[in-house]
Amino acid sequence: MKAASAQSTTPSEEIAGLVERVTFFNEESGFAVLRVKVRGQRDLVTVLGPVPSISAGEWLTGRGWWVRDQEHGLQFKAQTLKATPPTTSEGVERYLGGGFVKGVGPVLAKKLVGHFGAEVLKVIGENPGALESVDGIGPKRRQRISTAWQEGLQIREIMLFLHSHGVSTGRAVRIFKTYGNLAIQTVRENPYTLAREIHGIGFATADRIAQSVGIPKDSENRARAGIDHVLLSATSEGHCALPLEKLKAAAVKLLETPAEIVERGLARMLTTGFLVLEEIDGEPLVFLPHLRRAEKEIAVGIRRLAAARSAYPPIDFEKAVQWCEARTGKTLAPSQREALKTVLGSRAAIVTGGPGVGKTTLVNSILLILRAKKVKCLLCAPTGRAAKRLTETTGMEAKTIHRLLEIDPATGRFSRNEDNPLECDLLVVDETSMLDVPLMCALLRALPKNSALILVGDVDQLPSVGPGNALRDLIESGVVPVVRLTEVFRQAAASKIITVAHLIRQGKMPDFRSAEPSSDCHFVERDTPEEIAATLVRLVQDRIPKGQGIDPIGDIQVLCPMNRGSIGVRELNAVLQRVLNPPRQGEPAADRFGWRFQIRDKVIQTENNYKKEVFNGDIGVVEKIDPVEQEVHVRYDERLIAYDYGELDEVSPAYAITIHKAQGSEFPAVVIPVAMQHFMLLERNLIYTGITRARKFLVVVGQRKALGLAVRNNQSRKRYSGLLCSLKETSRPKIA
């Protein structure tokens, strides 16, 4: 903003007035742009400043300065703002109809004020039964209005409390839903629980509250919370543990406290069993107990399967292969025959390989032969898209792992386990590279004792987002037979996408210059991030749809190496939303958590929500926005899921997503920006994973140097884990 006056030399003054409209409100920062009917001013005044929460119709008082903006004219820039419920009929009507009470829109607000006058807020709060005297309000609607009113007041109280301790108010609804009336008490007594239990609140925020409510910086509780945070942060980077000295150093840096305080807190956590210290390959590692238990359970389960005899009925292999080939019309290559023989002779097996090497043909042959022998088979994959693709390629129903194991929405635990196992003779798991240690453990727990297991996946892709590197560790351990398919078949070799993917997997830079205009794979060289972004937008908006006859929103997916930067997910989403789905006059929108959600927006779920049965990485489209009920409805394939406005921090625009989020999915067309600004994340398995997400058309846009760096860099970041050691049975006893 370019203001003519300098507020530092201008004495502050007070204003008061009625909020006519909330032009903008950022729930994270509390910054608001308001149109206010100020006493003593003939026209509406634009007021800018911080406020914990705000609704149209409220009475606003503030202290600040008048400034004249070159573009917007005279404005009041507030240093402090305070809002109180309205007392006039006009204000109450705007207040009720402006969204403060879920379920009450402008029409009903007018009706309520017409019946009760300015006293309607008192009626809702103290005598809600009287609402039924208004036409159109029965017991059910009256209860909803009353409940929403009470929740709104409690949430506002929490907002004011958090705001008074220097905390943003965007998480107030989630805090209230988690703790209810105990929210403020919980925050006062142990604010560090927020960091572990509330999505979107990290240690820094919890620590700021703790300092504000008087918890000393050298307290043992704070030290333990900091250590816990360091380990939890490590799991989000794929680690199951951290080296002892590395953990202590990170905690000291985070807490800015003497090492002896951290050591004292760590010792208490180890002696009480909150953490586990174990020597793995000569290095002392500190684990979260549930992750170490899961690793040991996986090792025991896999070794048990490897030692058991085949679970299948006797099979005449040569006769079975001939029968299978006659049924499918496909002749198995020698490598596929050997792979089939290995899998049919094993209780547990791993099938790995890149695109176009015949994994699908092999799996279909296995299932065809075994089902003919009356073997009961179950199929699953980590994501909904991967499960859907598995269903399409096999002709059998495949479920997500969470649905197969029957997740309990109330607890987040699986109903299928060792006491209630799956009903199958064979379990086939696709996209196994995505399985983290806890999910792999849950599958093995639910596997019947006499069942067989086939794990299918591309070990050269990115490892799981969650902790561990289960597929690679299982392969490296040599405990179970591994079938690695490498032969690219003729039909697949016709795809430039597949040949490029295999060159990159081998560490060779593809020669894109030989690509024909009709090719399915292109590299568009651009030198600067600005040029890359502009070219990418033109490709998505116009050039690819015209050439390929596909939908720019539904069929094209931009995949980025990282979130931040001018060609990261966040910036590209803002640009692509603007050009692909600009605002339409008269259509509702929801501004929450730094995003504007509009009808037709493509969005992605960013965390598991067991109650809604939508999971991290699921992609949908906004189908409906209800400003009265304060809900956004998102279509995920055949299911329509409703989100309260306060739950919209679980979703974000998905015009561009990270390559990590795209694991397990395929898209008709993929565009990948690569630049040296991503150099920290440019690794071979990242680019390889991104390229193999494209089904029909791929464009890589960016700097040749950056792509070359990614192709050459095969040094994936080490993940601290004890699984491989446990599989080899070389882990040492717990350190005293």
Side-chain angles (χ1 to χ4, degrees):
M1 180 185 291
K2 298 173 183 176
S5 57
Q7 65 184 47
S8 58
T9 59
T10 306
S12 65
E13 59 182 278
E14 289 187 351
I15 62 164
L18 185 73
V19 178
E20 288 281 331
R21 185 169 72 249
V22 179
T23 304
F24 173 80
F25 179 61
N26 186 315
E27 294 200 357
E28 293 300 297
S29 64
F31 177 76
V33 179
L34 311 169
R35 295 288 284 166
V36 182
K37 187 185 288 184
V38 173
R39 281 189 308 208
Q41 297 286 331
R42 186 176 63 183
D43 299 324
L44 292 180
V45 170
T46 298
V47 177
L48 304 87
V51 63
S53 63
I54 191 70
S55 295
E58 289 190 289
W59 186 257
L60 190 76
T61 57
R63 175 172 284 278
W65 300 266
W66 290 99
V67 297
R68 188 168 295 280
D69 182 81
Q70 292 180 2
E71 184 177 348
H72 301 289
L74 191 65
Q75 299 177 335
F76 189 80
K77 192 170 184 180
Q79 190 175 33
T80 60
L81 288 173
K82 182 181 179 183
T84 55
T87 55
T88 67
S89 295
E90 178 190 8
V92 169
E93 185 177 327
R94 287 189 177 279
Y95 186 58
L96 281 176
F100 182 72
V101 181
K102 183 178 176 181
V104 177
V107 174
L108 183 56
K110 189 175 187 68
K111 192 182 289 188
L112 287 167
V113 172
H115 191 87
F116 295 107
E119 295 296 305
V120 65
L121 300 183
K122 189 175 181 181
V123 172
I124 295 173
E126 299 177 6
N127 185 24
L131 296 176
E132 293 184 37
S133 62
V134 177
D135 184 43
I137 298 182
K140 198 170 181 180
R141 196 169 193 188
R142 180 260 302 163
Q143 183 61 47
R144 286 176 61 207
I145 293 171
S146 177
T147 301
W149 172 259
Q150 294 301 331
E151 285 188 0
L153 291 178
Q154 289 166 330
I155 291 167
R156 173 159 294 205
E157 186 183 359
I158 295 166
M159 285 178 173
L160 291 168
F161 172 76
L162 293 175
H163 194 73
S164 70
H165 292 290
V167 182
S168 69
T169 59
R171 309 295 174 192
V173 173
R174 193 172 289 275
I175 292 172
F176 174 74
K177 286 190 172 182
T178 302
Y179 302 117
N181 295 330
L182 298 176
I184 292 177
Q185 179 184 334
T186 302
V187 171
R188 278 201 175 105
E189 290 177 355
N190 188 4
Y192 295 110
T193 59
L194 299 179
R196 181 180 269 271
E197 297 177 0
I198 305 294
H199 171 70
I201 293 184
F203 177 81
T205 300
D207 196 39
R208 195 159 58 242
I209 300 173
Q211 303 306 304
S212 184
V213 298
I215 294 176
K217 291 194 77 169
D218 61 354
S219 76
E220 189 177 298
N221 273 348
R222 180 173 182 266
R224 293 170 67 177
I227 293 165
D228 191 52
H229 172 75
V230 170
L231 273 175
L232 283 172
S233 297
T235 65
S236 68
E237 296 172 5
H239 302 296
C240 290
L242 280 179
L244 178 61
E245 293 305 317
K246 189 170 185 175
L247 171 62
K248 288 195 288 189
V252 167
K253 183 179 179 182
L254 172 73
L255 296 165
E256 298 178 336
T257 193
E260 54 265 28
I261 293 173
V262 169
E263 288 173 354
R264 195 161 60 239
L266 180 58
R268 176 68 65 89
M269 295 175 85
L270 289 169
T271 56
T272 54
F274 280 98
L275 299 177
V276 172
L277 180 63
E278 194 166 333
E279 191 171 287
I280 305 292
D281 290 334
E283 184 173 33
L285 297 182
V286 180
F287 292 82
L288 293 167
H290 74 280
L291 290 177
R292 188 62 185 126
R293 281 196 303 270
E295 289 182 334
K296 290 180 176 179
E297 281 190 49
I298 291 170
V300 170
I302 290 293
R303 285 201 304 268
R304 178 182 61 79
L305 284 168
R309 286 185 290 182
S310 173
Y312 312 127
I315 296 172
D316 183 325
F317 181 73
E318 291 301 327
K319 191 180 287 185
V321 170
Q322 291 175 15
W323 175 82
C324 180
E325 290 177 335
R327 287 288 299 271
T328 63
K330 294 181 179 179
T331 301
L332 296 178
S335 60
Q336 289 175 313
R337 289 173 65 97
E338 282 303 308
L340 181 61
K341 192 171 189 177
T342 298
V343 172
L344 292 178
S346 308
R347 186 68 166 273
I350 296 172
V351 178
T352 189
V357 297
K359 293 196 299 292
T360 298
T361 299
L362 176 60
V363 170
N364 282 340
S365 300
I366 294 166
L367 292 172
L368 191 62
I369 292 169
L370 291 179
R371 291 179 74 195
K373 290 287 186 178
K374 307 300 181 187
V375 173
K376 185 173 182 181
C377 307
L378 289 179
L379 279 60
C380 66
T383 68
R385 284 175 175 256
K388 186 177 181 181
R389 196 169 69 249
L390 186 58
T391 297
E392 292 167 351
T393 57
T394 63
M396 292 178 60
E397 182 189 15
K399 296 181 178 180
T400 64
I401 294 172
H402 287 84
R403 289 199 175 95
L404 181 77
L405 298 182
E406 299 174 13
I407 190 83
D408 181 350
T411 63
R413 294 176 180 165
F414 296 116
S415 300
R416 293 288 184 173
N417 50 41
E418 58 270 41
D419 298 321
N420 181 29
L422 298 166
E423 297 171 8
C424 65
D425 304 310
L426 168 66
L427 177 63
V428 178
V429 188
D430 199 12
E431 296 286 358
T432 311
S433 62
M434 295 181 65
L435 264 64
D436 59 20
V437 160
L439 201 52
M440 180 71 82
C441 179
L443 271 175
L444 288 170
R445 281 179 186 164
L447 192 70
K449 288 186 178 179
N450 296 320
S451 181
L453 177 67
I454 299 174
L455 302 174
V456 184
D458 187 348
V459 72
D460 294 313
Q461 286 185 21
L462 287 167
S464 61
V465 174
N469 201 346
L471 180 61
R472 185 172 293 279
D473 287 346
L474 288 172
I475 291 172
E476 193 175 330
S477 73
V479 172
V480 295
V482 177
V483 170
R484 184 185 279 273
L485 300 174
T486 57
E487 181 184 351
V488 180
F489 292 97
R490 190 182 309 157
Q491 186 177 356
S495 166
K496 184 82 173 175
I497 295 172
I498 289 177
T499 56
V500 163
H502 280 278
L503 285 170
I504 288 174
R505 185 179 62 80
Q506 296 160 18
K508 299 174 183 176
M509 182 71 171
D511 183 9
F512 288 97
R513 288 170 296 187
S514 61
E516 298 291 331
S518 59
S519 173
D520 61 358
C521 182
H522 299 269
F523 175 67
V524 180
E525 189 168 2
R526 294 291 184 268
D527 292 329
T528 67
E530 293 76 19
E531 292 172 333
I532 294 170
T535 301
L536 182 148
V537 171
R538 284 197 300 272
L539 283 166
V540 174
Q541 185 181 16
D542 187 45
R543 293 179 63 184
I544 295 175
K546 273 187 179 176
Q548 302 297 314
I550 60 178
D551 173 24
I553 294 180
D555 295 336
I556 302 176
Q557 186 60 61
V558 175
L559 300 180
C560 302
M562 62 193 297
N563 279 298
R564 294 190 299 274
S566 58
I567 48 174
V569 165
R570 189 161 189 91
E571 288 295 324
L572 288 177
N573 264 319
V575 174
L576 290 168
Q577 183 191 46
R578 204 158 50 237
V579 299
L580 297 178
N581 189 28
R584 299 191 186 184
Q585 192 170 4
E587 279 193 352
D591 293 288
R592 287 294 187 276
F593 302 104
W595 291 112
R596 182 179 179 83
F597 295 94
Q598 301 168 167
I599 295 169
R600 291 171 302 280
D601 272 341
K602 180 162 65 172
V603 296
I604 185 169
Q605 178 78 16
T606 57
E607 62 170 295
N608 290 338
N609 187 317
Y610 303 118
K611 290 183 180 178
K612 296 183 190 297
E613 290 191 22
V614 285
F615 302 102
N616 192 352
D618 286 352
I619 293 176
V621 176
V622 176
E623 194 167 286
K624 176 185 174 186
I625 296 176
D626 188 336
V628 174
E629 294 296 330
Q630 298 180 28
E631 289 180 342
V632 172
H633 297 253
V634 178
R635 171 74 62 185
Y636 295 99
D637 295 324
E638 294 82 27
R639 301 171 63 236
L640 191 64
I641 303 298
Y643 294 85
D644 286 339
Y645 282 3
E647 297 174 321
L648 289 175
D649 58 341
E650 292 183 13
V651 293
S652 62
Y655 300 99
I657 62 175
T658 61
I659 295 172
H660 281 85
K661 289 286 188 189
Q663 284 178 271
S665 297
E666 281 187 352
F667 308 94
V670 165
V671 182
I672 304 174
V674 288
M676 290 306 294
Q677 70 172 227
H678 300 146
F679 79 95
M680 289 290 290
L681 293 176
L682 289 178
E683 296 173 358
R684 186 184 302 169
N685 61 2
L686 182 89
I687 295 299
Y688 172 75
T689 301
I691 285 172
T692 54
R693 300 308 90 201
R695 191 162 63 241
K696 295 180 181 177
F697 196 74
L698 169 74
V699 184
V700 179
V701 187
Q703 299 162 348
R704 191 174 294 274
K705 178 182 178 182
L707 181 60
L709 173 65
V711 172
R712 292 190 302 273
N713 182 13
N714 199 30
Q715 301 300 311
S716 298
R717 286 181 292 277
K718 179 180 178 179
R719 291 190 165 194
Y720 294 105
S721 164
L723 177 57
L724 181 59
C725 195
S726 292
L727 285 163
K728 292 179 174 180
E729 295 186 294
T730 58
S731 61
R732 297 184 185 179
K734 184 176 172 182
I735 299 174

